[in-house]
Amino acid sequence: MEIRKLPIGQGLAWFRQAIDLGARNPRAVFGAALLFLLALYAVALVFAIVGAMVVGQGAAPAAGQGPDLRDALIVAAPLFLVVMVLVPILLGGLMHVIRETESGRPVRARDVFLPLRSPAGRRLAGIGLVQVALTAVGGLLVAALAGEDYWRNYAAAMQSAMQGQVEQVPQPDHAGLLMLLQLLLNYVSYVLVMFAIPLMLFSGARLGEAVKATLQAGLRNLGANLLAGVLFIGALLAATLAFALVALVLGLVGGAVHPVLGNLLVAMAGLGFVAGVLVLLVGGGYLAWRDTFGEGPAAMPGDVHGIEV
């Protein structure tokens, strides 16, 4: 599997090209991003309802106290696992829609769910499991660097915060090393999304091959990838500030008519904003894969070229 050596300036090219993604078929691309978000919201809502039913069968919290941290974990832990497995599949679907659009082929917004019906697409769940393992290893390393009492004190502070009490958040040991570790883990997670998903979905790579090639590409083109990451993060921060002002205006204008209308306008604008950010980031990942590894097959591989986990 050839990994091209790219100049650092390629990160800027990805950023510029990603801004124009979806112009050929915005209805399909941005519609797919909206369906992606609505699917995750639906999953979270189901878990919230089930979690409320489970927690409701236990002992009620004392008067004036918030929910127990253990009760919150009953919902958060399985939701985290499901989302981590589902997100790579949906990201692959959005990349598929973007790729078909950029190639001039007909595609629909609901094709974001196509990997759920494809053996190769469903095997993208393995990337989610790799991310879970990465999170677990990172948690162990953070625990070792932060000090043996840090997480216990942190959990106690969060429990107090959920009950309306304000306590000082504990400070970890070796804060500088922790920051470097977090940057490393974030970079590995970033390149996994950029490369491993399209490698498995479009190039027919197995999970192990995709992860290995992803790490090699992350090292070989470290400068271009980091530049792209910095540009995307900077653009996200600037866009978030601009959106905050827009949301404030919408809330005031809609709230002048009715508070519900103001909240609805802000929610709809927020959904559109997040969808645009999603297209920008996922499109950047598609462009990075295309330039680093070259185009793969025209269609998603099926059983013959599927990935065996």
Side-chain angles (χ1 to χ4, degrees):
M1 187 177 297
E2 179 185 1
I3 301 175
R4 299 170 180 170
K5 176 63 177 177
L6 302 173
I8 295 178
Q10 193 64 31
L12 177 60
W14 294 333
F15 178 74
R16 289 175 173 173
Q17 294 169 17
I19 295 176
D20 296 329
L21 284 175
R24 295 184 179 180
N25 192 350
R27 182 177 179 180
V29 173
F30 291 97
L34 288 172
L35 289 176
F36 175 103
L37 294 173
L38 291 175
L40 292 184
Y41 287 151
V43 171
L45 180 60
V46 169
F47 271 86
I49 294 174
V50 173
M53 294 173 60
V54 172
V55 173
Q57 296 176 355
Q65 290 187 348
D68 188 84
L69 183 60
R70 184 182 59 182
D71 293 337
L73 289 176
I74 292 177
V75 179
L79 175 61
F80 170 77
L81 291 175
V82 171
V83 168
M84 291 295 286
V85 169
L86 182 61
V87 162
I89 301 176
L90 294 179
L91 287 177
L94 182 55
M95 277 194 184
H96 166 71
V97 173
I98 291 173
R99 184 174 187 239
E100 296 301 290
T101 298
E102 291 303 297
S103 300
R105 293 186 285 267
V107 68
R108 298 160 297 183
R110 64 175 180 268
D111 288 341
V112 69
F113 301 120
L114 192 60
L116 290 169
R117 305 191 298 271
S118 164
R122 289 194 296 270
R123 289 168 186 147
L124 290 175
I127 298 176
L129 297 178
V130 172
Q131 296 274 31
V132 171
L134 182 64
T135 301
V137 172
L140 292 175
L141 292 176
V142 168
L145 289 174
E148 62 178 275
D149 295 330
Y150 172 73
W151 286 113
R152 186 184 304 109
N153 296 333
Y154 185 84
M158 292 300 100
Q159 177 70 51
S160 299
M162 294 177 64
Q163 296 176 355
Q165 303 173 11
V166 179
E167 289 192 10
Q168 185 178 2
V169 177
Q171 297 301 313
D173 301 333
H174 310 293
L177 288 176
L178 282 174
M179 184 180 69
L180 291 176
L181 175 63
Q182 193 61 52
L183 289 174
L184 175 61
L185 294 175
N186 288 340
Y187 180 70
V188 173
S189 179
Y190 165 69
V191 294
L192 276 174
V193 171
M194 282 204 309
F195 298 135
I197 291 176
L199 281 173
M200 292 181 67
L201 193 60
F202 305 136
S203 300
R206 295 181 176 87
L207 177 60
E209 293 173 340
V211 172
K212 180 181 178 181
T214 288
L215 296 177
Q216 290 174 340
L219 290 174
R220 186 171 178 79
N221 294 308
L222 180 64
N225 295 331
L226 286 180
L227 177 59
V230 169
L231 290 173
F232 281 111
I233 291 174
L236 177 59
L237 292 176
T240 301
L241 291 175
F243 170 74
L245 295 176
V246 172
L248 178 62
V249 173
L250 289 176
L252 292 174
V253 173
V257 178
H258 194 280
V260 174
L261 178 60
N263 294 333
L264 181 61
L265 289 176
V266 172
M268 292 178 63
L271 191 62
F273 171 72
V274 177
V277 170
L278 190 61
V279 170
L280 183 70
L281 296 179
V282 176
Y286 161 73
L287 294 170
W289 163 79
R290 185 192 65 185
D291 293 344
T292 303
F293 294 95
E295 275 284 354
M300 286 192 300
D303 287 328
V304 175
H305 301 289
I307 301 87
E308 297 178 2
V309 180

